[in-house]
Amino acid sequence: MDTSTFHVRQTLKIPNCNGCQPAPAGYAPSLSWQRAKVSDFSDLRQRLMSLRSKNDFRKHLHQRSKLPEIENETAWLHFCFGSSLRLKPLCDGRTATESSQPSLPLLSVLLCLDQPAIEQLLCYHINWFQEGGFSDVQGQWLFALFACLEKPLTPEACHLLRTAARLCTNLRATLDSPEHPHLSGLNLLQCLVARYFDQSDLCEK
């Protein structure tokens, strides 16, 4: 049934309630860019799955004893960002101190974490993003954690991803230039949530 004839008669419009801000002019990625990023991300996830299925990750298990307990948010903040100072360093671009450097999301770390731990760490990062802003290091961690999430998503993981997309679009809307160094990372994270993780109402055309 063709419903287009009813559009002009529409008296009630339901607003978009997903909480995401539309991209300012010149800030949104092209559809071809989005498709290419999703394809690359899918290939990366296939390689990660292959490592796990071949049990290659077992050689990294010794690293687990060197990682913070997953329940210890402060320890993970220090581990990921290289500073025990909470949140303020994330706002002004300083993500490390001379005595403590940030830890990158290496395979030796990621392959030690099971799905509950991945989701908990993702929750921490989204909370830090929400409370203190975005940084390049955090973008790397969010991307890596996205890559480790198993599908189908749990309800909790789905909620976390949608929250991340909302935060990315809201921050993007405040950037002062389409040349801002964070724009590409924010667009990438939002794109992956919408297109790879099947949150189609968040897709940008």
Side-chain angles (χ1 to χ4, degrees), residues 154-171:
T154 65
E156 293 78 11
C158 184
H159 172 72
L160 290 171
L161 288 176
R162 291 181 67 86
T163 301
R166 175 175 56 80
L167 292 171
C168 287
T169 61
N170 290 353
L171 178 57

Side-chain angles (χ1 to χ4, degrees), residues 52 57 60-61 64 67-71 76 107-123 141 144-150 154 157:
R52 289 187 183 277
F57 71 94
H60 298 295
L61 291 181
R64 181 176 297 172
L67 298 177
E69 294 293 330
I70 195 59
E71 298 83 7
W76 274 104
L107 279 175
S108 57
V109 174
L110 298 172
L111 292 178
C112 291
L113 303 175
D114 58 16
Q115 279 300 294
I118 291 291
E119 289 188 18
Q120 182 61 70
L121 189 52
L122 179 59
C123 181
W141 272 101
L145 293 170
F146 282 15
C148 292
L149 283 175
E150 293 179 355
T154 65

